[in-house]
Amino acid sequence: MSLGGATWLGDLEASVDEIARTALGMEGSTVRARTDVPRPLDVAFIGLVGPGGGIQIGLGADPAGCETFARGLLGMPAGGEPLPGPEIADAMCEIINIVAGAFKGRVRDRASPLQMGLPVFIHGSVQATDHTAVRVAEVTIGAVEAVVVLVHPRAGGPG
Amino acid sequence: MQILVVDDSKAMRSIVMRAVRQAGFDAASFVEAANGADALKAIREAPPALVLADWNMPEMSGIELLKALRAEGNPIKFGFVTSESDPTMRDLAFQSGASFMITKPFTPDALRAVLGPVLT
């Protein structure tokens, strides 16, 4: 079954909301806007591949926001010693890994099995191509203004 | 009692170790590995009481590690701590000899529930 990008993005937003509450100890997320134009931020991405192709999902924020997420995952209070950059990157990769697990569970009944790749952490903005589309949800998680990013085949998705 | 924690994320290794202590296994000591290949070497050199492994890792995945151990005839206690929760993967884990599979994020209570039968 092939699903449209909007459906995938909704599932992704719900997965991020779930993980913000359960793994980061934060309030849930609020979607402020949806767009096709990502802005350059620090973003953790992970690939999910199915029989019909692959998608990339991402969670990003500015450096301070990423540190807030990392501290949440690690159970560290705000305002302590700053976390080194590599530790923030490692934590952001783990967060998107956990989000991907939740996402897989949400779409399991509507899509073919998805295989999870290994996460990466980048600074920048992903570009759409003739074959891939980009969908972005601007979200607020706790006090952090973040983005949830979906890169998917223009034909639909991997299902 | 030594536990080998295998995860490519340093953050997650520290979370797992803290959660094991919070689950009441204060006497546990830990060794760490960042992938299945490093874990396999560590187990061959000094077998721990339990392996807690992620599933998706570079070089050698958690399931590849478990299969390699069982292929060597190593019956070491083995559990997955992973973001994966797919029923087919869960079946594969148990068929391959895992004692349990716990999904991230998890609580110390959930960890206690799966570690208790294995470690006591």
Side-chain angles (χ1 to χ4, degrees):
Chain A
M1 179 180 180
S2 188
L3 301 173
T7 305
W8 290 104
L9 187 63
D11 288 315
L12 182 54
E13 291 166 2
S15 302
V16 167
D17 181 74
E18 175 189 334
I19 297 310
R21 294 172 191 272
T22 58
L24 306 185
M26 302 177 77
E27 296 170 15
S29 60
T30 303
V31 177
R32 303 191 313 275
R34 295 184 181 88
T35 175
D36 297 335
V37 185
R39 55 194 169 94
L41 288 169
D42 294 348
V43 187
F45 279 102
I46 193 167
L48 292 162
V49 180
I55 61 173
Q56 297 276 336
I57 63 173
L59 174 67
D62 65 16
C66 289
E67 178 161 0
T68 299
F69 291 153
R71 285 181 174 278
L73 179 72
L74 292 162
M76 299 173 68
E81 281 284 308
L83 281 176
E87 292 191 17
I88 294 171
D90 176 55
M92 285 295 291
C93 286
E94 189 56 37
I95 292 167
I96 197 64
N97 186 323
I98 298 171
V99 168
F103 178 83
K104 280 182 64 175
R106 283 182 183 274
V107 303
R108 184 177 300 142
D109 294 338
R110 290 177 283 127
S112 302
L114 300 173
Q115 288 201 324
M116 202 184 299
L118 295 172
V120 295
F121 187 64
I122 64 140
H123 175 77
S125 57
V126 65
Q127 302 296 311
T129 70
D130 288 345
H131 305 291
T132 58
V134 180
R135 299 274 297 162
V136 179
E138 302 265 357
V139 299
T140 301
I141 304 172
V144 178
E145 292 194 355
V147 292
V148 175
V149 185
L150 170 70
V151 184
H152 65 93
R154 289 197 183 276
Chain B
M1 171 182 56
Q2 192 168 67
I3 299 175
L4 173 61
V5 180
V6 191
D7 198 305
D8 53 328
S9 166
K10 181 183 172 189
M12 187 48 65
R13 294 198 302 271
S14 74
I15 289 167
V16 170
M17 291 186 287
R18 186 179 64 211
V20 170
R21 292 192 189 98
Q22 289 174 338
F25 300 94
D26 300 326
S29 61
F30 299 95
V31 284
E32 302 177 48
N35 59 59
D38 289 349
L40 192 57
K41 286 182 201 164
I43 293 165
R44 286 170 176 160
E45 289 172 9
L50 172 68
V51 180
L52 293 176
D54 191 12
W55 190 292
N56 297 306
M57 293 181 288
E59 296 194 53
M60 179 185 272
S61 70
I63 191 69
E64 289 168 338
L65 169 62
L66 175 57
K67 287 180 175 179
L69 289 166
R70 295 300 185 251
E72 292 179 357
N74 190 329
I76 195 168
K77 292 174 182 173
F78 195 108
F80 283 102
V81 182
T82 173
S83 56
E84 300 280 9
S85 60
D86 192 288
T88 58
M89 299 175 82
R90 186 173 290 272
D91 289 346
L92 176 60
F94 289 125
Q95 287 166 10
S96 301
S99 298
F100 60 85
M101 185 164 165
I102 187 168
T103 303
K104 304 171 189 173
F106 56 86
T107 63
D109 285 345
L111 200 55
R112 185 184 305 118
V114 294
L115 289 182
V118 174
L119 293 179
T120 55

